[in-house]
Every structure is written in structure tokens, then in C-alpha cells.
Amino acid sequence: MAARKRASSMSISNKPDPVEPNSAPSEQKMTRKTVSASAEEFRLAPPKLGVIFVISTLLCSIYLYLLCFHYKVDNELKRSILINAGLSLVGFFVTLKMIPVAARYVLRRNMFGFDINKRGTPQGEVKVPESLGIVVGIVFLIVAIIFQYFNFTEDSNWLVEYNAALASICFMILLGFVDDVLDVPWRVKLVLPSFATLPLLMAYAGHTTIVIPKPLVAYIGLEVLDLGRIYKLYMGLLAVFCTNSINIHAGLNGLEIGQTVVIAAAILIHNVMQIGASVDPEYHQAHAFSIFLTQPLMATSLAMLAYNWYPSSVFVGDTYTVFAGMTMAVVGILGHFSETLLIFFLPQVLNFLLSLPQLAGIVKCPRHRLPRYDPATGLLTGTKDGTLVNVYLRLFGPKSEKSLCIHLLVLQALACAFCFILRHFLAGWYK
């Protein structure tokens, strides 16, 4: 969900006069010409590359230091990771180039919205192209598919699961774009990820066991518990949560992509730490698998953030939010760190719990659960809606949209840092 108000084609086109049916074709032709001309004349604001440089430096420097200098990573594995990083960098520039092109195409189809958080100002009247997350998704898939040529052989044990993961992500991109076009109801959105995870669940050949926390071993009598099909049910539910949690923690310019980029950076750091701390080759491959999908996600998302950062030139749409959520769910499942992933998602978990009464229909749920914008002050004020955005504003007072987004992204980073600290203190005692 983005801070937008969708405009239907009926609301921007000139309806033909029903009394003069003979004039309708010419009027419709003029309308199509006008829309086409406005799309051709449309120019996006330049990408905010300075902001992206700062964000990428802050988020990637720790990961690159750990990978290249701190840990002794196997040379062959490091080579694959760096090849993937190089392809991801290419994906960054391709995404950066394709967004303005795609923006013109979606405008031709009247797929645009108005920024609700700028209502009452000139910026609030600007048509903003939406559903541009489709560009990120397509470039991501191309990068991930090309990478197979450099890393996997035909008899690779990971190739089946890798392609199954891509199939699930591709399925989710399609369903997300369908949602952007058809505006699917919330109760349907909640179950869509269940269908998208089917390729992954059917192809999953990994273990279905969980390690019992050491303090509970004496009570349960087992150190390892095989959940069987229940584990696959858990995988499906995790994908549903991750996919929808990104979608409902939204509504500010840059928030959807910003939270994805912060979590992706934490996932990369976690994976390289696990690779460096273990000598098990199979364990290395599981976490490298996660890196191979997370690096392209982060690179293409940063390119989109260059256009989506405040003030946003494009809207990512549900296509991006469900794609990003599914990708992170997949890497958490196949990398076998779903517990850690959920702690990375702590703000999203809190937002979900706050939203539950409205999502369940217990409390009235409006179409847009956004804060209230005051054109006189340029500040956002929290409403009574149960979202983390509104609760944060109620607790800490009115803020500008940009400032609020930065605060929430810092909160996201602190949640990820808390996860690393928690793992450090519980290591050897919890598991």
C-alpha cells in the first residue's frame, strides 16, 4: 500500500455525450491522443543518486568488510558471491535506466495516482506513475537467471530449489501486478502468497527438523524434532506473513523500499557471519544461496529508491511490496534462518499486531490508513488507525513525511541490530 489515491481511466477521460452518439468516436480518439501526448511529454525528476550513495555506503560497508577482509571465505565461494555482486551492480544501472521508460508506458494506460500525503499542495495534484515495482521484479529475475550460468552445474543439488524459488518469486510478481491493475480485496491478498509458495514447497528437499532450545530439552526429551509436513505449513505461513507485512507497513515516500533495503543488508551481514563461523560446506551453500538472491534484490531496490525517495517521482505499487516480501521469505526459508528473519521483521510484526483489529474487521478499517496531512505546516499527524506510522506520530508528535520515514528506517535498523546482539548473547546457551 502506498500513499496514493488511484485514478481510474473514467475519472480522467472525457465521457462522450450520450445525446450525440456520432461524436463519441472522435471524442474518444482525442482523449487517447491527449493521454498519449502527455505520456510522451512526461519527464521524471532526476534520480536522487546522492541519497542512494549515502544509504548504500552505510548499509554495504560492513557486509563487504566482513566478506573481503574479516572472514576467511573459501575462494571459490567468494568468487561466486562477487560474480553475483557484479551482475547485481549491472542490474542496478539497468533498473535505473528502465524506470523512466516504464513510467511513460504506465501513464499511457492511465496507471497513476496522487500523493495523499501532499494533498492540498501543488505536489498533491501531480500524476505519479505507479506499479513501477514491475521493473525491479523483472530485472531481478533476469539477473538471478543469468547468474545460474556462472554458478550452477546441471547436476547441482541446489539448482532445483533455486529455480523453484525463482518460480515462486515470479508468481508473486505476477499476482502483485494483477492486484495493482484489478485492486484485489484484502481478504484475497492475504491468501495470494499461499499459491505463490507452491513451487517452492513442492520442490523443497531440505530438512524438516527444528533444533529444540537447550533450556527446553530437559522437558521435551529431544534435542531435534522432526515436524514433517507441519514444517512446510510453517514455511507457507512465513511467506504469507513476510509478503503482506511489507505491504501494510507503508504509506510514506521511500518507506516500502527503505525497509526492504535495511532488512536485505542485515540478511547479507548475517549470512556472511554464518559462513565465516562454520566449516560445514553444506551450511556454507545454504547461506550463499541466500546471498545470491539478496544481492540482486538490494541492488535493484536501491535503483528504485533513487526515484521513490521523498519527494517520490514514482510509486512502486503492490507489485514491489509482495515481490520483496516473498524474496526475503524465500531466502530465510532456504537459508534456514527463519527465526532470525522474524526478528529482523520486528517493526513489521509490531505493525501487524497493531493492525490486527482493523484487518480482522473488529474495528472499522478505512481504505487508506494514513496519517493526516496539514498543508499549512507541512507536517503529518497521527490518526487513530492501528499502524506503526500513526502510533509513532501519536507518541512523538507531528513530523514531516521525510523525517518520519527516516525515523522509521532507523527503527528498522535498530531492530536488526537488536537481533545481532540477541544472537550474540544467546549463542551456546539457547541453541
Side-chain angles (χ1 to χ4, degrees), residues 21 80 127 213 280 292 386 417 427:
S80 296
K127 297 176 182 178
D280 182 0
F292 296 153

Side-chain angles (χ1 to χ4, degrees), residues 210-227 430:
I210 59 171
V211 179
I212 302 298
K214 290 180 180 179
L216 300 179
V217 170
Y219 300 98
I220 297 177
L222 295 170
E223 292 185 357
V224 178
L225 178 64
D226 189 356
L227 296 179
Y430 182 68

Side-chain angles (χ1 to χ4, degrees), residues 147-170:
F147 174 68
Q148 293 185 65
Y149 175 78
F150 298 96
N151 189 69
F152 296 107
T153 58
E154 293 180 358
D155 59 345
S156 174
N157 294 331
W158 284 95
L159 186 59
V160 173
E161 290 189 357
Y162 187 84
N163 283 320
L166 293 185
S168 290
I169 293 169
C170 183

Side-chain angles (χ1 to χ4, degrees), residues 17-256:
D17 190 345
V19 183
E20 301 177 9
N22 292 334
S23 66
S26 61
E27 288 188 17
Q28 291 171 352
K29 191 178 295 183
M30 288 295 291
T31 301
R32 284 194 293 269
K33 284 182 179 179
T34 303
V35 172
S36 178
S38 64
E40 291 297 335
E41 295 170 1
F42 174 78
R43 292 290 183 275
L44 279 184
K48 305 166 188 71
L49 295 179
V51 174
I52 301 308
F53 176 78
V54 173
I55 293 175
S56 58
T57 300
L58 289 173
L59 296 179
C60 297
S61 55
I62 299 175
Y63 165 66
L64 292 175
Y65 168 74
L66 294 175
L67 174 65
C68 299
F69 303 105
H70 187 74
Y71 292 114
K72 292 182 179 179
V73 180
D74 177 73
N75 289 333
E76 190 65 26
L77 185 59
K78 184 185 290 186
R79 173 182 170 274
S80 296
I81 292 174
L82 292 177
I83 289 173
N84 182 270
L87 290 172
S88 300
L89 186 61
V90 173
F92 170 85
F93 289 108
V94 171
T95 306
L96 208 62
K97 187 70 175 177
M98 290 303 299
I99 288 172
V101 177
R104 287 194 293 271
Y105 276 95
V106 298
L107 278 179
R108 288 178 189 174
R109 305 307 304 167
N110 296 332
M111 294 179 65
F112 63 85
F114 299 100
D115 200 327
I116 296 177
N117 286 337
K118 298 177 183 63
R119 183 182 291 168
T121 69
Q123 283 183 317
E125 302 301 319
V126 175
K127 297 176 182 178
V128 183
E130 62 180 356
S131 304
L132 268 296
I134 191 70
V135 177
V136 178
I138 291 173
V139 175
F140 168 88
L141 287 174
I142 293 172
V143 169
I145 291 169
I146 292 175
F147 174 68
Q148 293 185 65
Y149 175 78
F150 298 96
N151 189 69
F152 296 107
T153 58
E154 293 180 358
D155 59 345
S156 174
N157 294 331
W158 284 95
L159 186 59
V160 173
E161 290 189 357
Y162 187 84
N163 283 320
L166 293 185
S168 290
I169 293 169
C170 183
F171 200 169
M172 203 65 248
I173 293 171
L174 171 63
L175 293 176
F177 192 69
V178 168
D179 178 28
D180 278 335
V181 174
L182 301 181
D183 203 10
V184 177
W186 260 109
R187 57 183 175 275
V188 179
K189 287 183 187 181
L190 291 174
V191 299
L192 287 181
S194 304
F195 298 109
T197 55
L198 288 177
L200 178 63
L201 297 179
M202 296 302 103
Y204 182 75
H207 66 74
T208 57
T209 59
I210 59 171
V211 179
I212 302 298
K214 290 180 180 179
L216 300 179
V217 170
Y219 300 98
I220 297 177
L222 295 170
E223 292 185 357
V224 178
L225 178 64
D226 189 356
L227 296 179
R229 294 181 179 178
I230 297 177
Y231 188 84
K232 289 194 173 184
L233 175 62
Y234 163 72
M235 290 165 55
L237 293 175
L238 179 65
V240 171
F241 169 76
C242 291
T243 303
N244 285 290
S245 65
I246 297 289
N247 196 26
I248 63 175
H249 184 39
L252 305 174
N253 290 173
L255 181 57
E256 297 97 323

